[in-house]
Amino acid sequence: MEEPRKRARPGRSPAPAGRTARPRQAEVARLAGVSQATVSLVLADKRQGPAISEETRRKVLEAARSLGYVPDPAARRLAAARNNLLGVFSFTATFPTDVQHSYYPFLVGVEREAAERGYDLVLFTGSSTGGAGAAGPDALSRVRLADGCLFLGRHAPVEELGRLVADGFPVVHLGRRDEPAGLHWVGADYVSAAREVVGHLAGLGHRRMVLIREDDEAPASTDRERGFAEGLEAVGHGSVFRSADPERDLTPERLRSWLADGVTAFVAEETDTGAAWRALRRAAADAGIECPRDASLALLGSPPADLADGPEPTGFDIPRTRLGAAAVRMLAALVAGEEATEPLVACTFRPGATSGPPPATEDH
């Protein structure tokens, strides 16, 4: 005997055949060709905030019906129960509260902006999830205690962040990130800043330079390398030295070999470890290279606090406090269900005292 077919509930389209997982807002946004924030506003029938055209509302509602989207009741209850708490999650073993930590100025900006907007902060650390190696489906679930969360760290778990984004939980990463899709981020304009540093060296007469960087694909590193390459396009030649352990691999012999090949300037990237700049300073000292007489040095960022001795390096300063404030502004907008954009923040060029004209013996 043929079983009777189940009837769809009024006002709701059945889920596509063969589908077992609940459709998410991120899928509705992709199908409708709009942002997830717009989907959230339309489905919640919010008329405050940014104006949304009737055509956009129609596209969102049609996409939701075609996917069989139904709001998660638990998520809606959580969304309605705002408690004015913003999370800050750092992918470090301990939370960076030391004033010498490179993340500390970011947190100053975060705290000031959050206070101005009436938010309290909940601080999370990666120590309970293995630091940067956080893994597992629930590794970041505790951040849902807050209304939204700001993430700091060079290496963040893409899959876990992707789950939060797909669920419509407000998330902002401090620093450019291309993955997961749909993640909001704020960042500094490292490309222009690195290009300006190289342009300064080129203006002094340098035509062959080497960039020393860590061996990974962190967006901040690739942006700096891009700016380095762009700065040299019309004036000279540059090479890139990548190492997972610069302090081990960047030897005095290697520096002397580059100098013998005509290299006159060495540029290091800044990271939260400070490994590239630390290695370059040590290798130059061990090789007996006097800076800037024998070679010029530059740092794409600010020196670590524990390396503040000696001449100020040529380079640029990252507007960390301003970036922290921008991240909070974006996160607060997402929590309110609004569209959120922040422009790249410009870095400040630092002439420093570690660069000068190349040695007079160089044949230009």
Side-chain angles (χ1 to χ4, degrees):
M1 181 177 178
E2 183 179 357
E3 294 185 6
R5 295 180 181 178
K6 293 183 179 179
R7 299 178 60 187
R9 293 179 183 176
R12 172 187 169 189
S13 299
R19 178 164 191 135
T20 57
R22 177 195 297 270
R24 294 176 172 179
Q25 281 191 9
E27 296 174 76
V28 176
R30 283 194 295 272
L31 183 59
V34 299
S35 71
Q36 194 166 320
T38 297
V39 171
S40 178
L41 287 170
V42 172
L43 296 181
D45 198 26
K46 291 184 178 179
R47 301 285 171 169
Q48 320 85 300
I52 299 176
S53 70
E54 289 306 315
E55 175 65 13
T56 298
R57 289 182 183 277
R58 183 186 61 77
K59 287 181 180 179
V60 170
L61 294 174
E62 286 184 357
R65 279 194 293 269
S66 68
L67 291 171
Y69 174 83
V70 178
D72 183 344
R76 294 190 71 170
R77 285 195 299 272
L78 285 173
R82 299 300 183 202
N83 49 21
N84 288 340
L85 293 178
L86 299 182
V88 182
F89 192 107
S90 170
F91 294 101
T92 53
T94 57
F95 204 82
T97 54
D98 189 322
V99 295
Q100 292 191 330
H101 197 287
S102 61
Y103 286 169
Y104 185 79
F106 289 126
L107 300 177
V108 172
V110 167
E111 182 179 21
R112 289 175 181 171
E113 189 69 22
E116 287 186 12
R117 293 175 175 272
Y119 284 100
D120 289 319
L121 298 177
V122 182
L123 309 182
F124 300 95
T125 178
S127 58
S128 61
T129 54
D138 299 319
L140 303 182
S141 61
R142 65 192 187 283
V143 304
R144 296 177 187 267
L145 294 170
D147 299 335
C149 193
L150 168 65
F151 290 89
L152 300 91
R154 186 174 173 84
H155 302 290
V158 173
E159 187 174 347
E160 303 311 312
L161 285 178
R163 287 193 180 93
L164 293 175
V165 172
D167 285 343
F169 183 75
V171 171
V172 173
H173 190 271
L174 213 163
R176 182 174 76 83
R177 288 198 66 85
D178 298 327
E179 294 182 320
L183 175 68
H184 287 80
W185 54 267
V186 298
D189 188 355
Y190 293 132
V191 175
S192 297
R195 186 170 58 236
E196 184 175 8
V197 171
V198 173
H200 172 76
L201 294 172
L204 292 171
H206 296 277
R207 296 296 178 265
R208 296 201 64 188
M209 308 179 201
V210 172
L211 171 66
I212 295 125
R213 58 165 289 190
E214 294 185 32
D215 188 21
D216 60 32
E217 299 302 327
S221 294
T222 58
D223 282 352
R224 286 177 169 93
E225 182 174 334
R226 176 183 160 194
F228 174 80
E230 289 181 1
L232 276 168
E233 277 180 357
V235 297
H237 171 75
S239 59
V240 179
F241 177 75
R242 295 176 59 147
S243 169
D245 188 355
E247 295 184 78
R248 177 197 65 198
D249 298 333
L250 189 62
T251 62
E253 293 74 22
R254 191 182 295 273
L255 285 189
R256 293 192 192 101
S257 174
W258 281 328
L259 289 176
D261 287 340
V263 173
T264 60
F266 300 98
V267 181
E269 70 164 348
E270 179 201 1
T271 66
D272 52 0
T273 68
W277 179 242
R278 203 181 306 275
L280 178 57
R281 284 210 346 170
R282 175 195 50 75
D286 291 348
I289 297 172
E290 186 174 329
C291 169
R293 186 196 68 184
D294 303 322
S296 289
L297 307 184
L299 174 62
L300 302 183
S302 306
D306 62 330
L307 293 182
D309 59 307
E312 182 181 52
T314 296
F316 61 78
D317 291 315
I318 302 167
R320 289 183 169 88
T321 302
R322 288 166 55 201
L323 282 167
V328 171
R329 287 195 298 271
M330 177 176 282
L331 186 58
L334 294 176
V335 167
E338 300 170 357
E339 297 283 359
T341 58
E342 286 284 341
L344 287 175
V345 180
C347 299
T348 305
F349 175 71
R350 184 183 60 244
T354 59
S355 62
T361 55
E362 185 189 15
D363 182 18
H364 296 303

